Amino acid sequence: MDSAHNRSSRRVEGSPRVIVTRHLMPSVEARMGELFDAVLNVGDEPLTRDQLSAAMQDCDVLVPTVTDRIDAELIAGASDRLGLIANFGAGTDHIDLKAARDRGIMVTNTPGVFTDDTADITMEMIIGVPRRVREGVALVRSGEWTGWAPSRMLGRQLGGKVLGIVGMGRIGQAVAHRARAFGLEIAYHNRKPLPRALESMFGARYVENVDDLIAAADILTLHCPATASTIGFMDARRFGLMPEGASFINTARGELVDQEALIAALESGKLAGAGLDVYPDEPQVDPRLLAHPNVMTLPHIGSATREGREASGAKVIANIRFWADGHRPPDQVLDALV
């Protein structure tokens, strides 16, 4: 354990060799090239497993993204020189943190920079699904729209409806802040309640039993990580608890949802619609979701703003510099402490 700790906290002499698995913002890559012995992926082709393995045997720092599955086997095969996995992004469920800890490899992430961006996309779908925006756009583009009518394309009002938020971390709170302005009643489930002052600010009430929250939610949105306890969280039973004509939103992780159960709830009419930015088999999207008139399908763009991606890159660089200088990086993932 002592040798592993020394390896993860060592000061690197000269420029650390940094391998980046995806193409980042040009300004970020330029700065990395100035500061480090950086190997960039300007073609942006996702690395194969063999390429990831080779990279982890040839660098001091690996900079992966959510598309890279860094499991225990890859970590076990890494070179002793690999001391830092500086993840580009806040989520780390694609990295085996225990295996990294056991090898003395530090893990950092970039929390906070995508909070507002993801909350904005979530809010877009919270509004768009009940108001049948996707269906309306398709109607106009098809040339089949015949003009305004008092009884056609009727959606649901937002004001007074219950928005159920599963996971009240940074993004969940940002969604609650936005949703309150639209007159939604905010109910949430979390591992523990928020402080009373925050609940008051968001106008939110805590629901201890998550099934009770689901059963009360006119619109349900997920904002929790993919863990052993949350993978497949929304299954057929839980979709069955939702009110008739409810809307379902997921901008967190595709693995949280039993996709067959979701499709069944949509096709039966149990759900009026869904808004999805993530999928279990990305980039594949089930054709039945694409065919449904009121499913908003986005290409995992919750964090896709220039500002957010530049800020995330800046955090990656800061984490690497702190680590290479022998200091604790500002965004060390605590689960990876040795």
Side-chain angles (χ1 to χ4, degrees):
M1 181 66 72
D2 290 340
S3 63
H5 177 76
N6 290 338
R7 180 159 63 88
S8 68
S9 61
R10 67 170 183 249
R11 180 184 179 91
V12 176
E13 298 298 332
S15 297
R17 184 169 178 81
V18 176
I19 295 182
V20 185
T21 67
R22 297 299 297 267
H23 178 44
L24 305 182
M25 296 295 289
S27 60
V28 172
E29 292 188 336
R31 187 62 175 151
M32 284 184 166
E34 294 170 356
L35 295 170
F36 315 127
D37 174 17
V39 180
L40 306 174
N41 183 357
V42 293
D44 202 33
E45 287 294 324
L47 300 188
T48 66
R49 185 174 180 84
D50 286 345
Q51 289 171 326
L52 272 174
S53 177
M56 294 172 70
Q57 295 170 34
D58 188 37
C59 65
D60 301 295
V61 180
L62 182 75
V63 180
T65 73
V66 68
T67 62
D68 303 301
R69 185 66 58 182
I70 312 297
D71 58 26
E73 183 180 1
L74 283 176
I75 290 170
S79 165
D80 285 344
R81 72 183 291 189
L82 177 62
L84 174 65
I85 298 175
N87 188 59
F88 180 91
T92 56
D93 45 84
H94 56 293
I95 301 170
D96 190 319
L97 298 178
K98 181 181 184 302
R101 181 186 66 230
D102 291 345
R103 284 294 309 273
I105 300 171
M106 188 176 291
V107 178
T108 59
N109 65 345
T110 62
V113 295
F114 298 134
T115 298
D116 286 335
D117 300 332
T118 305
D120 289 344
I121 284 289
T122 302
M123 199 65 218
E124 175 187 11
M125 293 194 284
I126 288 171
I127 298 167
V129 173
R131 293 303 304 271
R132 300 169 63 182
V133 168
R134 181 216 187 251
E135 189 175 355
V137 169
L139 182 64
V140 173
R141 290 187 173 181
S142 71
E144 297 177 2
W145 182 48
T146 59
W148 181 88
S151 59
R152 296 177 190 166
M153 282 300 300
L154 303 181
R156 302 284 182 93
Q157 289 183 345
L158 293 181
K161 299 299 191 298
V162 176
L163 174 65
I165 301 176
V166 180
M168 202 65 157
R170 289 186 181 94
I171 296 173
Q173 291 177 37
V175 169
H177 175 70
R178 287 156 173 76
R180 190 178 187 189
F182 286 83
L184 284 156
E185 179 185 334
I186 312 300
Y188 75 97
H189 174 80
N190 205 38
R191 284 177 295 179
K192 59 183 180 180
L194 297 178
R196 289 288 180 87
L198 280 179
E199 286 189 338
S200 178
M201 182 174 71
F202 299 133
R205 61 181 175 87
Y206 176 67
V207 180
E208 184 174 4
N209 186 307
V210 70
D211 286 353
D212 291 342
L213 174 73
I214 293 169
D218 299 298
I219 305 167
L220 185 70
T221 181
L222 305 185
H223 298 288
C224 45
T227 65
S229 62
T230 62
I231 291 175
F233 169 80
M234 284 302 297
D235 55 14
R237 183 186 69 82
R238 287 196 164 120
F239 279 118
L241 295 174
M242 295 184 70
E244 293 290 328
S247 299
F248 175 73
I249 312 297
N250 185 17
T251 59
R253 287 288 187 266
E255 296 88 345
L256 301 176
V257 180
D258 179 333
Q259 189 162 259
E260 288 297 325
L262 168 60
I263 292 169
L266 288 163
E267 292 183 341
S268 71
K270 173 70 172 179
L271 294 180
L276 307 171
D277 189 41
V278 289
Y279 312 88
D281 300 312
E282 294 182 18
Q284 284 73 39
V285 180
D286 193 292
R288 292 170 292 177
L289 294 173
L290 298 176
H292 192 283
N294 198 30
V295 175
M296 298 179 70
T297 49
L298 300 180
H300 203 150
I301 58 172
S303 65
T305 67
R306 292 180 179 275
E307 297 88 347
R309 296 283 166 86
E310 287 178 348
S312 186
K315 276 184 172 281
V316 168
I317 290 170
N319 286 325
I320 296 172
R321 295 188 73 180
F322 269 78
W323 173 82
D325 287 342
H327 303 300
R328 176 176 172 174
D331 299 308
Q332 181 177 358
V333 178
L334 295 181
D335 286 345
L337 283 171
V338 294

